[in-house]
Amino acid sequence: MSLTEYEEKILQTIVEWRNQLEQYQPNDFELTFDKYIERAFLLLPEDVQDQFFTVLDSWLFHLHAMIQGAQLQVDAKERIILSGRIFNPNITQIEDLQQLSIEQLQYIAEQQISRHRFYSMLQGGVSGTGGAMLLGSDIPAMAVINLRAVQLIAMTYGIEVNTPFEMMTSLKVFNAASLPTRLQANAWEELLSDLNDNQMKYFYEGKEEITDISWIEQPIKQLFKLLVISLFKKKTMKGIPVVSIGIGASTNYLFTRRVTDFAHKYYQMRYLIEKRGDTLQ
């Protein structure tokens, strides 16, 4: 099926964005930071490295399943279907959303995206108050917020995330969106390759490892953010740690914006190329 002029424009925007990723040149600081992280991990025995990433992957799998089965997510899924029914009263399940136009799906997706960016900003602000328990919960909370956002964006574009392929894909989308910009082009190509190699889109056939040493930079940045918050929490205005709250809210918002932008482009791309009936290389 041919695409409309607006759909072609969106597809071209995604292609241009992907080209920008490929042309991105990291600065000296990024390269140095990356080198030191790699050197630090190489000091660990190889079996310890493997076990670390195995545990991390397992944690992400279980977190994904927990979010998917939570009543909060089930309710959100129903709200997405109800939103779709505003445009087409015949929609009764997630897969039916693919009957909607890209403009209508964008509208529903943007509702989910803006909501989760707000949640993320709120979480960062609460963490910025500096309490030990709140600081400790920041990284798990951010993982939940952003994994949930990826799942809901996928559902908006008519994709259930309860099959092995879609579960793995949503985790890889989250992982790719969390990577440094210099590594995202390769991660995008891997997602496209998985899409082309798994035509049935039920069982996943491909690399099952999600995280590796390249992904560690983001958690380290989150830990650094928590350190900065701890340093500034005593600088208050009328008893409120305004600086640390601002740091927490802004950094969390920017991270979720990064994740949701990447995920939105990926699922838009899938919707468009499946409608057009070919692949995007």
Side-chain angles (χ1 to χ4, degrees), residues 138-266:
D138 186 69
I139 291 179
M142 284 298 290
V144 169
I145 290 170
N146 288 281
L147 272 173
R148 184 169 186 263
V150 172
Q151 289 185 11
L152 292 176
I153 292 170
M155 285 190 274
T156 297
Y157 284 90
I159 298 171
E160 281 280 14
V161 291
N162 56 4
T163 65
F165 175 79
E166 296 301 349
M167 180 183 72
M168 180 64 74
T169 297
S170 63
L171 285 170
K172 286 199 168 188
V173 168
F174 168 72
N175 173 68
S178 307
L179 290 173
T181 304
R182 64 185 181 276
L183 302 175
Q184 286 187 331
N186 288 336
W188 178 268
E189 293 304 319
E190 185 176 329
L191 286 166
L192 291 184
S193 178
D194 284 347
L195 192 59
N196 292 332
D197 294 343
N198 293 266
Q199 297 297 325
M200 297 302 293
K201 298 184 181 63
Y202 186 83
F203 293 108
Y204 179 80
E205 297 178 3
K207 180 183 175 184
E208 295 188 357
E209 293 79 16
I210 302 170
T211 58
D212 55 27
I213 193 170
S214 61
W215 188 75
I216 294 300
E217 184 173 321
Q218 183 56 45
I220 290 177
K221 286 180 179 178
Q222 288 293 107
L223 290 173
F224 181 72
K225 176 197 72 178
L226 299 181
L227 175 62
V228 173
I229 286 174
S230 298
L231 293 175
F232 281 95
K233 69 178 181 180
K234 292 183 180 179
K235 295 184 178 297
T236 62
M237 183 180 296
K238 295 184 179 180
I240 301 174
V242 177
V243 175
S244 60
I245 288 175
I247 292 170
S250 60
T251 52
N252 279 16
Y253 173 85
L254 290 173
F255 176 67
T256 299
R257 179 181 177 181
R258 179 186 182 88
V259 170
T260 52
D261 279 350
F262 189 101
H264 197 195
K265 284 181 172 64
Y266 172 77

Side-chain angles (χ1 to χ4, degrees), residues 11-172:
L11 193 55
Q12 184 59 34
T13 300
I14 295 172
V15 172
E16 291 173 358
W17 169 80
R18 184 186 67 175
N19 292 337
Q20 289 176 358
L21 289 181
E22 292 175 346
Q23 296 166 7
Y24 178 81
Q25 294 295 324
N27 56 42
D28 291 340
F29 175 78
E30 289 177 295
L31 294 173
T32 303
F33 187 60
D34 186 47
K35 181 172 66 177
Y36 277 113
I37 291 176
E38 186 174 354
R39 283 183 177 177
F41 258 84
L42 289 176
L43 294 175
L44 297 173
E46 190 172 340
D47 59 331
V48 174
Q49 296 179 43
D50 293 340
Q51 185 177 8
F52 174 80
F53 290 116
T54 298
V55 170
L56 191 56
D57 284 355
S58 178
W59 179 73
L60 286 173
F61 274 114
H62 284 91
L63 188 61
H64 183 284
M66 182 189 74
I67 295 170
Q68 183 186 341
Q71 187 60 47
L72 190 65
Q73 196 75 336
V74 174
D75 292 343
K77 176 180 174 179
E78 289 300 318
R79 286 197 298 272
I80 290 174
I81 293 173
L82 287 173
S83 296
R85 203 171 290 159
I86 294 173
F87 301 109
N88 185 340
N90 295 322
I91 289 176
T92 59
Q93 56 186 358
I94 287 296
E95 289 82 356
D96 295 339
L97 290 164
Q98 295 181 5
Q99 301 172 18
L100 300 180
S101 69
I102 191 71
E103 294 92 338
Q104 294 165 340
L105 293 175
Q106 273 186 316
Y107 174 78
I108 299 172
E110 288 296 340
Q111 288 182 319
Q112 303 300 326
I113 289 170
S114 60
R115 188 176 293 126
H116 283 78
R117 287 177 181 177
F118 174 75
Y119 294 158
S120 183
M121 185 172 64
L122 185 63
Q123 165 62 32
V126 171
S127 298
T129 59
M133 184 177 296
L134 296 175
L135 285 173
S137 66
D138 186 69
I139 291 179
M142 284 298 290
V144 169
I145 290 170
N146 288 281
L147 272 173
R148 184 169 186 263
V150 172
Q151 289 185 11
L152 292 176
I153 292 170
M155 285 190 274
T156 297
Y157 284 90
I159 298 171
E160 281 280 14
V161 291
N162 56 4
T163 65
F165 175 79
E166 296 301 349
M167 180 183 72
M168 180 64 74
T169 297
S170 63
L171 285 170
K172 286 199 168 188

